């Protein structure tokens, strides 16, 4: 289970067992157009969940955007 060690409007630091993740706001950020390459990915995370539908809804609720192209839609 992770917890927020530090959080502000510009930075969030999350810590779990053996892992620290720092996320920082970028001024004038342009989201990637994956799978296109006009605006390339800046970062990639693989996340493992027990219920994909619940996790997807939670991520979208936090501001994530589901891409039009899904490389493995049945998984």
């Amino acid at each position: 289970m992770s917890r927020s060690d530090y959080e502000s409007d510009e930075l969030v630091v999350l810590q779990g067992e053996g892992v620290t993740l720092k996320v920082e706001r970028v001024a004038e950020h342009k989201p990637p157009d994956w799978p296109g390459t006009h605006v390339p990915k800046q970062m990639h995370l693989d996340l493992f969940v027990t219920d994909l539908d619940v996790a997807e809804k939670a991520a979208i609720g936090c501001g994530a955007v589901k891409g039009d192209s899904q490389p493995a839609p049945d998984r």
Side-chain angles (χ1 to χ4, degrees):
M1 181 70 68
S2 64
R3 59 184 166 76
S4 177
D5 287 339
Y6 177 83
E7 186 173 345
S8 74
D9 290 341
E10 301 299 319
L11 176 72
V12 174
V13 180
L14 301 172
Q15 179 128 13
E17 282 188 47
V19 168
T20 299
L21 176 66
K22 298 175 185 175
V23 181
E24 192 171 346
R25 184 175 302 278
V26 175
E28 300 179 32
H29 170 72
K30 293 179 178 66
D33 64 346
W34 184 89
T37 57
H38 180 70
V39 181
K41 292 188 288 185
Q42 291 91 31
M43 180 179 173
H44 176 88
L45 291 175
D46 286 321
L47 304 173
F48 297 89
V49 299
T50 55
D51 188 320
L52 183 57
D53 293 329
V54 170
E56 177 184 76
K57 185 176 180 179
I60 290 171
C62 291
V65 177
K66 184 174 180 177
D68 293 331
S69 173
Q70 297 297 316
D74 295 337
R75 294 182 7 178

